[in-house]
Amino acid sequence: MDERSLGELLYLTIDELEDLHYLDALVSLLSLLMDCAKEAEILDEEQVNQLLDLFVAKLPDLWGKCLKQCA
């Protein structure tokens, strides 16, 4: 490997880390939203899970896979 290859590898790694931070934030927001829906008795536990499954199914594949790993 030459210096240019290592630099490219660094930039790819940094991009991936930024995505992970974004996904962590998204998981936290979704969790908070689902907790609020249950607390307000808008949805029961089963409905919350169905809604979350539907939401994740409509996300781009990479995001869906990452969110499932976070859950």
Side-chain angles (χ1 to χ4, degrees):
M1 286 190 152
D2 64 2
E3 291 176 8
R4 290 175 293 178
S5 297
L6 291 174
E8 184 177 340
L9 182 61
L10 173 68
Y11 287 120
L12 290 172
T13 304
I14 289 173
D15 287 343
E16 236 176 78
L17 289 175
E18 288 176 8
D19 289 342
L20 290 175
H21 292 296
Y22 177 76
L23 287 171
D24 289 339
L26 183 58
V27 167
S28 295
L29 287 172
L30 287 174
S31 179
L32 179 61
L33 178 64
M34 295 302 139
D35 288 346
C36 289
K38 285 187 272 185
E39 188 177 311
E41 297 180 359
I42 297 170
L43 302 170
D44 63 24
E45 185 79 27
E46 184 178 334
Q47 290 171 321
V48 167
N49 289 332
Q50 289 174 348
L51 180 60
L52 193 55
D53 288 342
L54 179 63
F55 177 79
V56 170
K58 292 188 180 265
L59 288 174
D61 289 337
L62 177 62
W63 287 16
K65 289 177 188 175
C66 290
L67 283 175
K68 286 178 184 177
Q69 289 175 354
C70 294

